[in-house]
Amino acid sequence: MSPLLSTACPLPGGDAADFDPAAWPAAQAVPVLRHAAGGAADDIDEVIEEVPVALVFNGISHAVMLASPADLEDFALGFALSENIVANAAEVFDREVFALPAGLEVRIDIAARRFAELKARRRSLAGRTGCGLCGIDSLGEFERALPQLPYRSRIATAAVRHALAAFARHQPLRERTGAAHAAAWVGSAGNIVAVREDVGRHNALDKLIGWRAARLAAGDAAAHDGFVLVSSRASYEMVQKTARAGIGGLVAVSAPTAMACRLAEQSGLVLAGFARGDRLVGYAHADRLLPNSPPQERP
């Protein structure tokens, strides 16, 4: 992971060969003037970093996103999966991060068949912190149905409460800056297995999806059964990405949108919102939010 803090605000200059991608900070120290009832005083504050990250597939730049410069290999794999560029982690052969004068570049090698499909639907995409229909260029593409999830996940409400109690401790970037979103993989018993943070909620989820896909490919049982907990609202894209990754449950600390509820219902995804303390609201397949911790139902 990149260092959490730097005192230099500008992007690095010089030749690309001089840059170390791992040296890009996730936060910057900036001078501020703090105002309070007793007056004002000079101080130093930590602000989250946003870096242009180009995702380059087989030598062709496909997307430029603004993201936190950490866990970018996970980000690349998760983005490829959640955007239907590849069908599984085995179709991604390599991921490598390079630092350039204007930002970071992740070079991803994918299967030739998938690359041919990508070129056929290639479009211009500019990422933003809160993007909407990222990369969608027609209503027909938007209306494409999500696949049905292969099994009916069950989520114990006690597991959600257990994860919520520990969630803040797993968000160091948020603690430093107050501006990061987080996505956590939570085991069926409520233990937080992994967390990914980013300035963008979609990016944080993509990073987590990439982490999980790599761990599943490595045979890690801890990445198998569980659900996603996010520090944001549950919008259309968050449901779409979760379902496309084959994950059966999404729990958000804030509200869902109506479209997110519809998509979750259609795909078989358990969707819950307003997860705060002992509170939890089920919005899709709420009958599978249970007070105990039953095993997953598999075919």
Side-chain angles (χ1 to χ4, degrees):
M1 181 179 291
S2 302
L4 189 61
L5 178 65
S6 170
T7 56
C9 287
L11 297 181
D15 297 330
D18 297 333
F19 298 165
D20 177 8
W24 281 62
Q28 300 277 4
V30 299
V32 298
L33 183 62
R34 295 192 185 277
H35 288 263
D42 292 326
D43 200 357
I44 298 294
D45 200 5
E46 298 178 35
V47 296
I48 198 166
E49 183 62 273
E50 288 182 292
V51 176
V53 178
L55 299 173
V56 179
F57 292 89
N58 292 23
I60 301 296
S61 183
H62 172 68
V64 177
M65 311 295 289
L66 288 176
S68 298
D71 303 305
L72 293 180
E73 293 89 352
D74 289 341
F75 180 44
L77 177 56
F79 182 92
L81 289 165
S82 69
E83 293 296 319
N84 269 350
I85 295 172
V86 298
N88 54 65
E91 295 179 330
V92 177
F93 304 139
D94 193 24
R95 295 161 284 157
E96 193 170 1
V97 182
F98 293 86
L100 304 175
L104 295 167
E105 185 174 274
V106 189
R107 299 173 190 172
I108 309 124
D109 292 331
I110 61 176
R113 181 168 68 91
R114 295 300 181 187
F115 182 57
E117 294 172 354
L118 178 63
K119 287 196 296 184
R121 63 183 178 92
R122 185 166 172 254
R123 66 263 183 186
S124 176
L125 172 63
R128 296 177 297 278
T129 298
C131 58
L133 300 177
C134 295
I136 299 299
D137 59 8
S138 71
L139 289 175
E141 186 173 357
F142 168 68
E143 291 176 346
R144 185 170 50 192
L146 287 175
Q148 285 290 307
L149 288 165
Y151 62 92
R152 292 172 59 85
S153 294
R154 293 180 176 181
I155 298 176
T157 56
V160 175
R161 291 194 298 271
H162 185 73
L164 284 170
F167 198 21
R169 299 196 299 271
H170 291 267
Q171 300 177 57
L173 188 56
R174 173 186 171 275
E175 178 67 21
R176 294 266 187 145
T177 68
H181 280 297
W185 178 250
V186 182
S188 57
N191 54 307
I192 294 180
V193 180
V195 174
R196 291 293 180 265
E197 291 185 276
D198 198 276
V199 67
R201 55 196 171 91
H202 312 103
N203 298 340
L205 181 55
D206 275 335
K207 288 178 178 181
L208 184 73
I209 288 170
W211 168 86
R212 180 174 179 264
R215 297 317 305 157
L216 285 174
D220 187 351
H224 205 272
D225 291 332
F227 59 93
V228 170
L229 173 63
V230 295
S231 64
S232 65
R233 68 184 184 274
S235 59
Y236 150 82
E237 305 98 322
M238 304 296 276
V239 166
Q240 181 187 64
K241 288 176 180 293
T242 303
R244 281 180 175 173
I247 297 169
L250 175 63
V251 178
V253 302
S254 191
T257 66
M259 183 179 292
C261 295
R262 291 193 296 270
L263 288 175
E265 192 68 38
Q266 293 165 12
S267 64
L269 175 77
V270 178
L271 176 62
F274 291 111
R276 303 171 187 178
D278 292 334
R279 294 175 53 198
L280 184 67
V281 181
Y283 287 92
H285 300 284
D287 58 312
R288 290 192 262 134
L289 287 169
L290 304 176
N292 296 314
S293 184
Q296 306 278 20
E297 289 184 1
R298 298 185 179 279

